Amino acid sequence: MICWINPFTGLAGDMLLAALLDAGAPIEPVRAAVAATGLTGWDLIAERVTDHGLAATRVHVRVTDHAAERRAAELIALASAAVPEPVAARAVAALQAIAEVEARIHGTDPGSVHLHELGGHDTIVDVVGVAAAMHALGVDDVVCAPLPLGTGRVRSAHGLIPAPAPATLALLTGAAVIGTDIPGETVTPTAAALLRALDARFDPVPAMTVRATGYGAGTRCLADRPNVVGVTLGERRGGGGGDGEAVAVLEANLDDMTGEVLGHVIARSLEAGALDAWATPAVMRKGWPGHVLHLLVRPQDCDALQELLFVETGALGLRRSTVDHVVLPRGLETVRIGSAA
């Protein structure tokens, strides 16, 4: 199942959890996964709300233990006890990512770093809850639209810091972002860490058959728009019984390369992870003969193969586009022909 996330005004852990519940994730497995961690003094409540005319779900974590600070190692130990194991693995990955960037920012060790704003009950409930909801829905592929980043400053345990917060920016390395006119924090460190733990891709809407949609509301009220994140669940769509995926095509016009060098570049591209590489003859400007080099590339390999193409060919520019890649199932069989004499 594919989960496409549309962070219209931003993204927080509780908003993503609420959207998944709104899209059909059952709340009891989520509560059970959190309860397995051994965390006490909490309850997860989901309610229906309407924000600027849009119906959505909002979640609240009601607590009797109001401790807001914990060491990252404590949260990781709790998350590792979540059930089932895939839920624990994703939750631990998210918390480890937070611990690593916080330690790097503050110049300390990840195992001993203290989490101030992120050390409360809501962090463990959000992280384990999102992992459990994804597991219950059977999601194995997460795709996210560009994340809108706010402006100005936010208050932290260390005083006023710029928005986006340094930890958030560190966790968003490799993510697609855009600017927004919304002041303050629009993407939380917890949400950024969850996207990393879920191996989220930042691509256009994938080819899929839509099965469900959901909207998760944040607690912040905006004057002119609903403060919600949308999720769309869908099944992969491909032709001829094959599996479809979104891949990139890199293309460059070349008019100053020999056939030997062109063959070398194609071989190097395939070694570096290109799904396919080929060249087509072309007539360039002023009637010059040349070639167009094409690379079929997974989204996560785009930057590396783009750099390889620039270095190996001397091209001054290239074109990048996204296409649907449909592949039929493949296998090997041994077929005996004829019979023994």
Side-chain angles (χ1 to χ4, degrees), residues 2-304:
I2 299 172
C3 177
W4 179 63
I5 302 171
N6 184 12
F8 175 67
T9 53
L11 188 62
D14 62 333
M15 294 173 69
L16 181 55
L17 175 57
L20 293 170
L21 294 174
D22 200 57
I27 196 170
E28 288 310 317
V30 172
R31 289 188 175 124
V34 178
T37 67
L39 188 71
T40 59
W42 64 275
D43 191 15
L44 177 64
I45 307 297
E47 63 173 350
R48 295 291 290 166
V49 299
T50 301
D51 189 345
H52 283 73
L54 181 61
T57 293
R58 178 181 291 149
V59 296
H60 301 278
V61 180
R62 296 179 180 172
V63 300
T64 56
D65 175 3
H66 294 280
E69 295 187 20
R70 288 182 176 86
R71 289 190 304 114
E74 296 178 59
L75 293 184
I76 292 171
L78 289 169
S80 65
V83 292
E85 192 280 330
V87 172
R90 279 180 164 174
V92 167
L95 293 169
Q96 284 178 334
I98 292 173
E100 289 169 4
V101 300
E102 289 283 357
R104 187 164 66 249
I105 290 170
H106 299 296
T108 185
D109 179 74
S112 60
V113 66
H114 271 77
L115 301 180
H116 298 285
E117 293 86 355
L118 300 176
H121 278 56
D122 51 350
T123 296
I124 194 74
V125 174
D126 290 349
V127 169
V128 174
V130 168
M134 290 284 188
H135 182 78
L137 292 168
V139 172
D140 57 9
D141 188 12
V142 178
V143 185
C144 188
L147 295 160
L149 299 184
T151 60
R153 297 174 293 177
V154 294
R155 187 169 295 280
S156 74
H158 300 282
L160 289 176
I161 58 176
T168 301
L169 285 177
L171 288 163
L172 290 177
T173 300
V177 300
I178 56 174
T180 180
D181 58 351
I182 301 175
E185 183 179 62
T186 55
V187 178
T188 66
T190 301
L194 278 166
L195 291 177
R196 177 177 289 194
L198 293 167
D199 293 323
R201 297 183 286 113
F202 293 87
D203 289 327
V205 182
M208 62 180 176
T209 300
V210 174
R211 295 304 182 198
T213 58
Y215 297 93
T219 56
R220 184 179 178 186
C221 294
L222 301 177
D224 59 347
R225 69 199 80 178
N227 183 24
V228 300
V229 60
V231 299
T232 301
L233 304 176
E235 296 175 353
R236 291 180 180 82
R237 181 168 53 82
D243 292 330
E245 63 173 340
V247 298
V249 176
L250 308 183
E251 297 177 323
N253 293 357
L254 306 170
D255 62 3
D256 58 352
M257 293 182 61
T258 65
E260 291 81 2
V261 175
L262 194 58
H264 164 76
V265 175
I266 289 174
R268 285 278 289 110
S269 300
L270 293 171
E271 292 170 0
L275 297 171
D276 201 357
W278 69 100
T280 55
V283 177
M284 320 297 277
R285 59 193 178 101
K286 298 184 178 179
W288 295 345
H291 292 86
V292 180
L293 178 63
H294 313 262
L295 303 184
L296 194 64
V297 179
R298 294 183 182 89
Q300 62 268 28
D301 297 329
C302 266
D303 290 343

